[in-house]
Amino acid sequence: MALLQISEPGESAQPHQHKLAVGIDLGTTNSLVATVRSGVADTLPCKGGSHLLPSVVHYGDQSVLVGAQAREYAAQDPHNTIISVKRLMGRGVKDLRSLGGVMPYEFSAGEGMPFIRTRQGDRSPVEVSAEILRVLAERGRETLGGDLVGAVITVPAYFDEAQRQATKDAAKLAGLNVLRLLNEPTAAAVAYGLDNDEEGVVAIYDLGGGTFDISILRLTRGVFEVLATGGDSALGGDDFDHAIASWILQQAGVDETTLNAATQRQVLNEACRAKLALSDATRVGVAFGDWSGELEREQFNALVDPLIDQTLRACKRALRDARVSADEVRNLVMVGGSTRVPRVRERVAQWIGKQPLIDIDPDRVVAIGAARQADLLAGNKSTDDMLLLDVIPLSLGLETMGGLMEKVIHRNTTIPVARAQEFTTFKDGQTAMAIHVLQGERELIADNRSLARFVLQGIPPMAAGAARIRVTFQVDADGLLNVSATELTSGVESGVQVKPSYGLSDGEIAGMLKASYSHAAEDRDARMLAEQQVEADRLLEALESALVADAELLSEVELQAIRADMAALKALREGDDRRAIELQVEHLSELTAEFAQRRMDSGIRKALAGHSIDEIES
């Protein structure tokens, strides 16, 4: 007799079957995919045994190559070999200038984002990234033997709305269901299980091949709050290679300026080999041309110490920005292949006063943290396990009268989140309202980043201030924003999904945060001035309307006095003396109080004209 397979409504027929999910570290130089098997998180190798997939895509005549094979074409076919595409994600054509002349590609503008010209046609950064994700997803499916329910993909902590959306679009194009976009430093902390640790401050020291990042996080009730970030986008392990190469050339008596590209690559390769060897050995033989010699670890340390000093200065600045001391840091996690250098670990330990966490391969730690989170989000863990929550990096708000930014969701708010705030109209009979969505920490819109604009139309004509317009901000778990506006009396609504076509650089976002601290007093004064100017405008507009309608209620002397004070307020309103504007508004309000009373009495008399007391009482 056949048995019926029964499951609860909404539950799979095999409720206890392990769901296949992966964590992906989509890196600038290399990318990895990881998963949790038998309770252990680990990265997945390709058929050749390599865990790292170079983030390189080559467009051939008939094929697309990804990874190490693609990288082989970098020198001979640079226009069709795309390297470090992550730097282009979520950026516009204008942003290319800020990236310097390090990308040997031909670009064509389109839809606000740069398209890279290849022999297979124009390709957007999203499409190029999708090729990398496609290979990683296929590696996951082949290794695990089934379809993936989804992936957690990591992004830099201060990727803005555009860069996060571009990453999500690339995953969708690659056929991946994104369970969550997770901040890279948060993923590194999760890899070590620090999300289950006691509350405290965690530092993530990330030294890669070409960049250095330091992130200071605070863990509170399972939520990682980003306190500060810093670093150097042009400092990494490659600079260690250059320092050694310069030393080799100096020892060999070779003028660096006389080398061609091929010879430069040769000496850099020798320098990289020496650097890797000195992670274990105390000395290594090196050779270039007719010269050969030995590089001792002590000499190597002297060569790279100035570069390590640069990273430590950035670390100290980040701690100052976070307003915490080195003693308050409970754990420091090492991320990035360049942290394998013993001298780096030694100097960082001296600075922080404790041994850094180095048990997990620094190249793999971010992917492993993403895999742990993916396993949880896929439903393979008990609901007793705490889901990791992220925060939004910069405040979100909208423009109000006077060019001010009204923050609706403040930075470091846990996501997902929805917040609503009510606004009203400024003028009588206003039937539409322009909604300007912004991101940043400053008080004035000119100092923040514009995200989107839309218009709420069909507002019923009412007196100024009578309409009730509710603006709702919704941020999902990936940090992506939807904004809607509804006029509550009529139900008219409009909205926008914030999906800008280009974004801010990590440095610009960190700079915006620093600027908000350093300009706090200045911003407060500017906001108070703008608010007072708006109050002056409101009073002047109301008086102009009143004088047009009922000037006959005033004597000539009274009318001239009001006109004179209105002119004085207009003149002060154009200046920057907030207190003077405030006093003049108060004075003009007092001066016109009797006029307002007469208008009210006149309105009542007109309303009662032609009616008897008996009619009113009945």
Side-chain angles (χ1 to χ4, degrees), residues 335-396:
V335 180
S338 297
T339 61
R340 287 194 181 89
V341 175
R343 185 62 169 175
V344 172
R345 295 178 176 182
E346 178 187 333
R347 293 288 308 282
V348 171
Q350 289 174 354
W351 163 67
I352 203 68
K354 56 180 65 69
Q355 288 300 315
L357 298 178
I358 55 174
D359 297 338
I360 302 175
D361 185 331
D363 277 325
R364 305 187 198 179
V365 63
V366 169
I368 287 172
R372 286 190 58 195
Q373 188 65 187
D375 193 51
L376 196 61
L377 292 171
N380 293 325
K381 287 284 193 76
S382 163
T383 54
D384 293 336
D385 286 294
M386 185 181 295
L387 281 179
L388 182 72
L389 298 174
D390 252 325
V391 296
I392 60 169
L394 291 170
S395 298
L396 298 163

Side-chain angles (χ1 to χ4, degrees), residues 9 28 31 53 97 110 126 169 220 234 263 275 302 427 511 520 581:
T28 305
S31 297
L53 176 74
R97 298 191 194 95
V126 169
D169 289 345
T220 307
T263 314
K275 177 186 70 176
K427 294 187 176 182
I581 299 172

Side-chain angles (χ1 to χ4, degrees), residues 459-522:
I459 301 172
M462 306 181 202
R468 293 174 57 210
I469 294 143
R470 176 174 292 164
V471 179
T472 303
F473 281 58
Q474 290 181 299
V475 182
D476 67 16
D478 300 317
L480 304 177
L481 171 67
N482 284 276
V483 183
S484 61
T486 306
E487 202 291 304
L488 298 181
T489 60
S490 65
V492 173
E493 63 179 311
S494 183
V496 65
Q497 181 181 39
V498 177
K499 190 176 177 181
S501 57
Y502 59 91
L504 299 168
S505 70
D506 300 349
E508 286 172 324
I509 295 176
M512 288 173 74
L513 292 177
K514 290 178 183 177
S516 73
Y517 299 143
S518 58
H519 294 281
E522 176 188 328

Side-chain angles (χ1 to χ4, degrees), residues 4 70 99 147 210 267 345-347 356 400-401 499 588 591 616:
L4 293 175
L99 297 175
D147 290 332
V267 70
R345 295 178 176 182
E346 178 187 333
R347 293 288 308 282
T400 58
M401 291 300 298
K499 190 176 177 181
L588 186 54
L591 182 66
I616 296 169

Side-chain angles (χ1 to χ4, degrees), residues 96-230:
L96 297 180
R97 298 191 194 95
S98 68
L99 297 175
V102 296
M103 294 189 171
Y105 314 130
E106 295 178 358
F107 294 99
S108 61
E111 300 287 325
M113 71 174 73
F115 278 70
I116 306 167
R117 288 179 179 154
T118 76
R119 62 166 55 92
Q120 291 192 19
D122 291 351
R123 294 290 184 268
S124 71
V126 169
E127 292 173 289
V128 178
S129 293
E131 298 287 359
I132 299 169
L133 289 171
R134 199 172 284 120
V135 171
L136 293 170
E138 185 57 33
R139 183 186 294 183
R141 281 190 287 266
E142 286 184 4
T143 305
L144 299 176
D147 290 332
L148 305 176
V149 299
V152 168
I153 302 176
T154 60
V155 292
Y158 281 91
F159 251 26
D160 73 351
E161 298 286 334
Q163 291 163 308
R164 289 171 188 269
Q165 183 64 55
T167 304
K168 203 170 184 183
D169 289 345
K172 185 176 181 181
L173 199 58
L176 278 169
N177 171 39
V178 179
L179 299 173
R180 176 76 59 85
L181 295 182
L182 184 63
N183 288 339
E184 288 167 2
T186 304
V190 169
Y192 279 98
L194 299 184
D195 50 319
N196 298 318
D197 203 353
E198 297 178 24
E199 299 185 354
V201 177
V202 178
I204 312 295
Y205 181 100
D206 186 349
L207 185 62
T211 61
F212 169 68
D213 295 291
I214 177 70
S215 301
I216 310 298
L217 313 177
R218 186 188 299 279
L219 176 64
T220 307
R221 294 187 298 275
V223 177
F224 280 108
E225 174 188 357
V226 181
L227 298 180
T229 62

